[in-house]
Amino acid sequence: MQTPTQSPSTEKVKSGVDHLRFHRPNAHLASTFGNDAFALRAEAFARFFGTPLFLGAQTLIVAVWIGLNVAGLTTFDVYPFILLNLAFSLQAAYAAPLILLAQTRQAARDKVQTEADALHREALAITNERRQEDAARNTAQVMLLLEQNTRLTELTKQLTERIEILTVEMHAHFTASVKGTQ
């Protein structure tokens, strides 16, 4: 994990591999609405619409609104609650484009992320294939060396047996010549 003081290049140098190399060209897509203050607030607003807190707060506000007007404590929006309908229409008019924009941009980010992940998996597959080829070559070399070692061991055994036979013959010859000279 990269610490706040480390730069991406520092991380790359330490580990030897830039793990985010496929995602860096798409870093500009990180924020749905951009990176200015309005964009950050708009994205937060769009995210807030789907939360239980928003739904609970809206339900509470509507219940209080209707309760106050039905009970007669206030008469700013009597039945059929035209002002409440106008408020909902206004909210929908602003919320729908923000949510659609967020979904569209999220879909674009997901597509780019998927493509970057596919490139990463492809690079991993190529690397894995190369490693398997290297392993196959190394296995073939080990098998060749094992065969050569087996042949050398057999030759060593044959030479050892031959030396033993020659040693026995020389010993017999020297023993016979020593007995014959006496």
mmCIF file of all heavy atoms in Angstrom, residues 129-145:
data_model
loop_
_atom_site.group_PDB
_atom_site.id
_atom_site.type_symbol
_atom_site.label_atom_id
_atom_site.label_comp_id
_atom_site.label_asym_id
_atom_site.label_seq_id
_atom_site.Cartn_x
_atom_site.Cartn_y
_atom_site.Cartn_z
ATOM 1 N N GLU A 129 2.382 -17.609 -19.185
ATOM 2 C CA GLU A 129 2.729 -18.486 -20.309
ATOM 3 C C GLU A 129 4.245 -18.545 -20.498
ATOM 4 O O GLU A 129 4.814 -19.618 -20.707
ATOM 5 C CB GLU A 129 2.056 -17.967 -21.581
ATOM 6 C CG GLU A 129 2.211 -18.874 -22.775
ATOM 7 C CD GLU A 129 1.439 -18.347 -23.976
ATOM 8 O OE1 GLU A 129 0.296 -17.918 -23.808
ATOM 9 O OE2 GLU A 129 2.021 -18.379 -25.082
ATOM 10 N N ARG A 130 4.892 -17.388 -20.386
ATOM 11 C CA ARG A 130 6.360 -17.360 -20.497
ATOM 12 C C ARG A 130 7.005 -18.170 -19.378
ATOM 13 O O ARG A 130 7.971 -18.904 -19.607
ATOM 14 C CB ARG A 130 6.873 -15.928 -20.448
ATOM 15 C CG ARG A 130 6.604 -15.155 -21.705
ATOM 16 C CD ARG A 130 7.136 -13.748 -21.611
ATOM 17 N NE ARG A 130 6.727 -12.962 -22.760
ATOM 18 C CZ ARG A 130 6.556 -11.661 -22.752
ATOM 19 N NH1 ARG A 130 6.776 -10.974 -21.646
ATOM 20 N NH2 ARG A 130 6.179 -11.020 -23.834
ATOM 21 N N ARG A 131 6.473 -18.028 -18.185
ATOM 22 C CA ARG A 131 7.023 -18.794 -17.051
ATOM 23 C C ARG A 131 6.832 -20.290 -17.260
ATOM 24 O O ARG A 131 7.699 -21.084 -16.921
ATOM 25 C CB ARG A 131 6.369 -18.345 -15.748
ATOM 26 C CG ARG A 131 6.848 -16.994 -15.295
ATOM 27 C CD ARG A 131 6.189 -16.559 -14.017
ATOM 28 N NE ARG A 131 6.675 -15.243 -13.621
ATOM 29 C CZ ARG A 131 6.072 -14.475 -12.765
ATOM 30 N NH1 ARG A 131 4.965 -14.863 -12.184
ATOM 31 N NH2 ARG A 131 6.578 -13.296 -12.455
ATOM 32 N N GLN A 132 5.668 -20.673 -17.799
ATOM 33 C CA GLN A 132 5.436 -22.089 -18.073
ATOM 34 C C GLN A 132 6.394 -22.607 -19.149
ATOM 35 O O GLN A 132 6.904 -23.726 -19.053
ATOM 36 C CB GLN A 132 3.982 -22.317 -18.496
ATOM 37 C CG GLN A 132 3.012 -22.201 -17.346
ATOM 38 C CD GLN A 132 1.567 -22.379 -17.782
ATOM 39 O OE1 GLN A 132 1.247 -22.327 -18.970
ATOM 40 N NE2 GLN A 132 0.693 -22.583 -16.814
ATOM 41 N N GLU A 133 6.625 -21.783 -20.175
ATOM 42 C CA GLU A 133 7.586 -22.179 -21.209
ATOM 43 C C GLU A 133 8.986 -22.314 -20.625
ATOM 44 O O GLU A 133 9.706 -23.272 -20.944
ATOM 45 C CB GLU A 133 7.583 -21.152 -22.346
ATOM 46 C CG GLU A 133 6.326 -21.172 -23.191
ATOM 47 C CD GLU A 133 6.239 -19.993 -24.155
ATOM 48 O OE1 GLU A 133 7.131 -19.103 -24.126
ATOM 49 O OE2 GLU A 133 5.264 -19.944 -24.927
ATOM 50 N N ASP A 134 9.368 -21.367 -19.758
ATOM 51 C CA ASP A 134 10.672 -21.463 -19.088
ATOM 52 C C ASP A 134 10.749 -22.717 -18.228
ATOM 53 O O ASP A 134 11.765 -23.414 -18.221
ATOM 54 C CB ASP A 134 10.934 -20.220 -18.216
ATOM 55 C CG ASP A 134 11.198 -18.973 -19.034
ATOM 56 O OD1 ASP A 134 11.479 -19.101 -20.254
ATOM 57 O OD2 ASP A 134 11.114 -17.867 -18.457
ATOM 58 N N ALA A 135 9.674 -23.011 -17.518
ATOM 59 C CA ALA A 135 9.653 -24.201 -16.670
ATOM 60 C C ALA A 135 9.764 -25.466 -17.523
ATOM 61 O O ALA A 135 10.474 -26.417 -17.154
ATOM 62 C CB ALA A 135 8.383 -24.233 -15.822
ATOM 63 N N ALA A 136 9.090 -25.488 -18.675
ATOM 64 C CA ALA A 136 9.167 -26.655 -19.571
ATOM 65 C C ALA A 136 10.594 -26.819 -20.107
ATOM 66 O O ALA A 136 11.119 -27.942 -20.161
ATOM 67 C CB ALA A 136 8.177 -26.506 -20.725
ATOM 68 N N ARG A 137 11.225 -25.684 -20.492
ATOM 69 C CA ARG A 137 12.617 -25.757 -20.958
ATOM 70 C C ARG A 137 13.533 -26.238 -19.846
ATOM 71 O O ARG A 137 14.409 -27.086 -20.067
ATOM 72 C CB ARG A 137 13.085 -24.390 -21.468
ATOM 73 C CG ARG A 137 12.722 -24.113 -22.904
ATOM 74 C CD ARG A 137 13.488 -22.918 -23.464
ATOM 75 N NE ARG A 137 13.328 -21.701 -22.695
ATOM 76 C CZ ARG A 137 12.317 -20.849 -22.808
ATOM 77 N NH1 ARG A 137 11.368 -21.096 -23.680
ATOM 78 N NH2 ARG A 137 12.253 -19.769 -22.068
ATOM 79 N N ASN A 138 13.336 -25.708 -18.653
ATOM 80 C CA ASN A 138 14.168 -26.127 -17.523
ATOM 81 C C ASN A 138 13.959 -27.604 -17.210
ATOM 82 O O ASN A 138 14.923 -28.323 -16.902
ATOM 83 C CB ASN A 138 13.853 -25.280 -16.281
ATOM 84 C CG ASN A 138 14.355 -23.863 -16.413
ATOM 85 O OD1 ASN A 138 15.214 -23.571 -17.234
ATOM 86 N ND2 ASN A 138 13.805 -22.967 -15.602
ATOM 87 N N THR A 139 12.724 -28.074 -17.294
ATOM 88 C CA THR A 139 12.443 -29.491 -17.056
ATOM 89 C C THR A 139 13.130 -30.362 -18.098
ATOM 90 O O THR A 139 13.715 -31.397 -17.770
ATOM 91 C CB THR A 139 10.923 -29.735 -17.075
ATOM 92 O OG1 THR A 139 10.317 -28.931 -16.066
ATOM 93 C CG2 THR A 139 10.591 -31.190 -16.826
ATOM 94 N N ALA A 140 13.077 -29.923 -19.360
ATOM 95 C CA ALA A 140 13.750 -30.682 -20.421
ATOM 96 C C ALA A 140 15.257 -30.716 -20.190
ATOM 97 O O ALA A 140 15.898 -31.765 -20.371
ATOM 98 C CB ALA A 140 13.439 -30.067 -21.786
ATOM 99 N N GLN A 141 15.831 -29.590 -19.767
ATOM 100 C CA GLN A 141 17.267 -29.555 -19.473
ATOM 101 C C GLN A 141 17.611 -30.458 -18.300
ATOM 102 O O GLN A 141 18.619 -31.178 -18.331
ATOM 103 C CB GLN A 141 17.720 -28.126 -19.173
ATOM 104 C CG GLN A 141 17.766 -27.235 -20.386
ATOM 105 C CD GLN A 141 18.121 -25.796 -20.031
ATOM 106 O OE1 GLN A 141 18.082 -25.395 -18.879
ATOM 107 N NE2 GLN A 141 18.465 -25.015 -21.057
ATOM 108 N N VAL A 142 16.773 -30.443 -17.273
ATOM 109 C CA VAL A 142 17.016 -31.308 -16.109
ATOM 110 C C VAL A 142 16.933 -32.774 -16.524
ATOM 111 O O VAL A 142 17.766 -33.589 -16.089
ATOM 112 C CB VAL A 142 16.018 -30.977 -14.974
ATOM 113 C CG1 VAL A 142 16.016 -32.055 -13.906
ATOM 114 C CG2 VAL A 142 16.334 -29.630 -14.355
ATOM 115 N N MET A 143 15.965 -33.117 -17.359
ATOM 116 C CA MET A 143 15.845 -34.510 -17.825
ATOM 117 C C MET A 143 17.066 -34.914 -18.641
ATOM 118 O O MET A 143 17.590 -36.028 -18.495
ATOM 119 C CB MET A 143 14.560 -34.691 -18.652
ATOM 120 C CG MET A 143 13.290 -34.544 -17.845
ATOM 121 S SD MET A 143 13.186 -35.670 -16.446
ATOM 122 C CE MET A 143 13.093 -37.233 -17.260
ATOM 123 N N LEU A 144 17.554 -34.014 -19.507
ATOM 124 C CA LEU A 144 18.747 -34.293 -20.292
ATOM 125 C C LEU A 144 19.957 -34.497 -19.378
ATOM 126 O O LEU A 144 20.730 -35.442 -19.547
ATOM 127 C CB LEU A 144 19.002 -33.153 -21.278
ATOM 128 C CG LEU A 144 20.232 -33.284 -22.173
ATOM 129 C CD1 LEU A 144 20.101 -34.488 -23.100
ATOM 130 C CD2 LEU A 144 20.436 -32.014 -22.967
ATOM 131 N N LEU A 145 20.097 -33.606 -18.398
ATOM 132 C CA LEU A 145 21.209 -33.744 -17.452
ATOM 133 C C LEU A 145 21.083 -35.023 -16.635
ATOM 134 O O LEU A 145 22.096 -35.683 -16.339
ATOM 135 C CB LEU A 145 21.257 -32.532 -16.513
ATOM 136 C CG LEU A 145 21.692 -31.219 -17.158
ATOM 137 C CD1 LEU A 145 21.515 -30.073 -16.172
ATOM 138 C CD2 LEU A 145 23.141 -31.297 -17.624
#
